[in-house]
């Protein structure tokens, strides 16, 4: 009788979690499976009432043979790696500067978090105005300083850099807050003991602080990695993938394939590839982070 009561208590958490698991499967697993299935079919948006036509791997073969798709993969990797690395670096520098409870720290936290709270559509519109060659404030200040004006969004070489700057402005505060929380969670005894042993600030940082927050850095990198791959709105508002396809990341390529070319099956193939890249890079980051912690 006692064993039966223990078994019931052990099962009860799973029974309570069952509805949440069912909803999770419904809203996540079912669409993913449906998307993978649709990637093997040809289905046009204009013929949505017709049955999809099975084409096997043709969508994937066409994609990998497409120059625009290859460019979008390159642009996505350059954009993602750039923003993740730079945001981690700048966020870590800011967190180290403000970790010791400087006067007005609460004010700085509030100011820094404001860009994250702005809707991506608004961010895109704001920075598109700032980069405007005719009345944008950035070129205005460059002209005041006697410098040459820059075609921020019209130059294929500058457009991606401009969007990277925008993303860093918006999401560095998110990285900063996570890393600051990690730094403030380090026991002060460790740093005090290192100072007693004669460690300078750089040695303290390399051998104590960074190893202690390696888990936070890894989680932050994965979160930003996933979000950067899914980024669409800001880039759509600012350049719509242009000039040419110089800023067309995979998510924007997916959108154009689905709603401009109206090829839902091919768009699903892009989504499957995007999901595969995100999953692979996330596994690499998480595995490396687990090894560093052990």
């Amino acid at each position: 009788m006692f064993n039966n009561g223990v078994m019931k208590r052990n099962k009860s958490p799973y029974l309570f979690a069952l509805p949440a698991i069912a909803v999770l499967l419904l809203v996540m697993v079912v669409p993913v499976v449906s998307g993978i299935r649709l990637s093997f079919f040809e289905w046009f948006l204009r013929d949505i009432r017709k049955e999809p036509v099975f084409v096997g791997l043709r969508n994937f073969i066409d994609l990998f043979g497409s120059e625009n798709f290859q460019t979008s993969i390159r642009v996505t990797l350059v954009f993602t790696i750039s923003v993740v690395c730079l945001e981690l670096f700048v966020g870590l520098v800011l967190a180290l500067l403000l970790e010791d409870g400087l006067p007005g720290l609460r004010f700085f936290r509030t100011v820094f978090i404001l860009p994250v709270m702005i809707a991506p559509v608004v961010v895109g519109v704001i920075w598109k105005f700032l980069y405007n060659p005719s009345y944008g404030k950035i070129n205005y200040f460059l002209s005041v300083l006697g410098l040459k004006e820059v075609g921020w969004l019209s130059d294929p070489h500058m457009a991606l850099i401009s969007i990277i700057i925008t993303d860093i402005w918006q999401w560095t505060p998110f990285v900063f807050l996570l890393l600051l929380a990690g730094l403030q969670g380090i026991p002060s005894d460790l740093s005090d003991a290192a100072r007693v042993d004669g460690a300078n600030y750089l040695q303290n940082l390399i051998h104590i602080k960074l190893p202690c927050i390696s888990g936070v850095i890894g989680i932050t990198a994965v979160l930003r990695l996933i979000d950067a791959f899914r980024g669409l709105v800001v880039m759509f508002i600012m350049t719509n993938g242009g000039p040419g396809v110089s800023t067309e990341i995979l998510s924007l390529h997916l959108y154009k394939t689905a709603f401009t070319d109206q090829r839902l099956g091919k768009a699903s193939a892009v989504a499957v590839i995007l999901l595969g890249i995100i999953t692979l890079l996330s596994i690499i980051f998480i595995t490396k982070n687990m090894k560093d912690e052990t």
Side-chain angles (χ1 to χ4, degrees):
M1 184 174 181
F2 175 76
N3 290 334
N4 289 336
V6 172
M7 290 179 64
K8 288 181 179 179
R9 285 198 298 271
N10 290 338
K11 291 180 180 178
S12 58
Y14 298 100
L15 295 176
F16 282 115
L18 191 60
I21 295 173
V23 172
L24 188 65
L25 291 174
L26 182 65
V27 301
M28 291 187 63
V29 177
V30 173
V32 169
V33 173
S34 300
I36 293 174
R37 176 183 175 275
L38 184 58
S39 66
F40 298 105
F41 289 81
E42 183 69 272
W43 197 22
F44 290 92
L45 186 60
R46 61 179 179 269
D47 300 326
I48 199 166
R49 295 191 176 185
K50 295 182 180 180
E51 287 294 322
V53 179
F54 180 77
V55 293
L57 296 174
R58 194 177 75 188
N59 287 328
F60 294 94
I61 294 172
D62 290 345
L63 282 174
F64 284 107
S66 169
E67 185 176 346
N68 285 351
F69 178 75
Q70 295 173 9
T71 302
S72 69
I73 290 181
R74 179 183 59 80
V75 171
T76 303
L77 292 176
V78 170
F79 171 76
T80 303
I81 294 172
S82 299
V83 297
V84 171
C85 293
L86 290 172
E87 287 165 9
L88 284 174
F89 175 75
V90 177
L92 180 61
V93 170
L94 291 173
L96 290 170
L97 290 174
L98 299 174
E99 68 169 322
D100 293 328
L102 294 177
L105 179 58
R106 185 173 298 178
F107 169 77
F108 283 113
R109 283 177 175 172
T110 304
V111 172
F112 286 162
I113 200 63
L114 287 177
V116 180
M117 300 172 64
I118 301 175
V121 174
V122 179
V123 172
V125 172
I126 290 173
W127 280 87
K128 189 171 184 178
F129 275 111
L130 291 174
Y131 285 132
N132 189 280
S134 301
Y135 49 81
K137 295 299 181 183
I138 296 177
N139 274 346
Y140 169 75
F141 286 119
L142 289 178
S143 63
V144 169
L145 296 172
L147 300 175
K148 184 180 178 181
E149 296 183 356
V150 179
W152 296 100
L153 300 180
S154 58
D155 186 344
H157 300 291
M158 290 302 302
L160 185 60
I161 296 175
S162 303
I163 294 177
I164 289 173
I165 294 172
T166 303
D167 194 87
I168 292 171
W169 174 83
Q170 184 180 15
W171 289 107
T172 296
F174 171 77
V175 176
F176 156 73
L177 289 176
L178 291 182
L179 298 184
L180 179 63
L183 287 171
Q184 292 182 336
I186 299 174
S188 58
D189 297 345
L190 296 176
S191 297
D192 294 339
R195 291 193 192 97
V196 171
D197 290 338
N200 57 32
Y201 179 81
L202 185 60
Q203 291 171 329
N204 198 342
L205 174 64
I206 294 174
H207 298 290
I208 295 179
K209 292 183 178 181
L210 291 182
C212 286
I213 65 168
S214 61
V216 178
I217 294 174
I219 293 172
T220 305
V222 171
L223 291 175
R224 286 300 303 128
L225 180 78
I226 295 172
D227 194 65
F229 265 98
R230 294 188 302 108
L232 168 64
V233 177
V234 173
M235 205 165 290
F236 178 80
I237 296 294
M238 292 179 66
T239 64
N240 194 24
V245 290
S246 59
T247 61
E248 187 175 294
I249 59 174
L250 272 176
S251 56
L252 186 54
H253 186 79
L254 189 159
Y255 171 85
K256 289 183 175 180
T257 303
F259 298 105
T260 303
D261 300 339
Q262 299 189 3
R263 300 186 64 177
L264 300 181
K266 194 173 181 179
S268 297
V270 177
V272 170
I273 294 171
L274 181 59
L275 177 64
I277 294 174
I278 293 174
T279 303
L280 178 62
L281 291 177
S282 299
I283 290 173
I284 293 173
F285 268 89
I286 293 171
T287 305
K288 185 179 184 306
N289 184 55
M290 291 175 64
K291 287 182 179 179
D292 290 341
E293 287 186 347
T294 55

